[in-house]
Amino acid sequence: SFAQYTLILNSKEERDYLQKYLQKYDIPTNIYYPKPLHLQTVYKDYQEDTSNLEVSKKLCDTVLSIPMHPYLNGELINDIANHIIDGLEAFKNE
């Protein structure tokens, strides 16, 4: 089953930069979970101590999903990977 392949970046700034960088090369990305589950409206009446959920909050700011499907061939996979590497290098050099 194919869904998404999610990268964990070092910061929100790095994630946002990489997303914009990949967009320039028509590489689709998505942030599927911008808000942690415990902060979703459906759970507003179940607020308990959330101090132990810092990882959930951090991941929502630092994850980015890239293409993953059966139609990716080796050349396209290499192209995406190389653009990710280049984008991360460009971010470091900013």
Side-chain angles (χ1 to χ4, degrees):
S1 160
F2 293 92
Q4 66 264 1
Y5 189 86
T6 303
L7 307 173
I8 302 173
L9 287 303
N10 293 310
S11 67
K12 184 178 187 326
E13 294 77 21
E14 184 180 51
R15 188 266 314 267
D16 294 347
Y17 183 95
L18 182 60
Q19 185 174 37
K20 287 179 185 165
Y21 185 90
L22 295 175
Q23 188 176 32
K24 291 189 296 188
Y25 297 97
D26 296 322
I27 298 172
T29 62
N30 205 347
I31 302 166
Y32 287 99
Y33 308 105
K35 185 188 284 191
L37 189 60
H38 68 281
L39 296 179
Q40 300 285 336
T41 305
V42 70
Y43 290 104
K44 72 180 186 324
D45 295 332
Y46 300 99
Q47 290 300 314
E48 300 289 329
D49 176 20
T50 61
S51 62
N52 62 341
L53 299 174
E54 292 304 312
V55 172
S56 296
K57 292 176 192 172
K58 180 176 168 70
L59 287 172
C60 286
D61 285 340
T62 58
V63 297
L64 182 65
S65 296
I66 59 173
M68 181 178 142
H69 53 78
Y71 306 106
L72 290 173
N73 61 35
E75 183 180 342
L76 193 51
I77 291 168
N78 285 332
D79 190 45
I80 292 168
N82 287 328
H83 283 302
I84 290 170
I85 291 166
D86 293 345
L88 294 173
E89 285 296 319
F91 177 78
K92 287 179 188 175
N93 294 323
E94 279 253 318

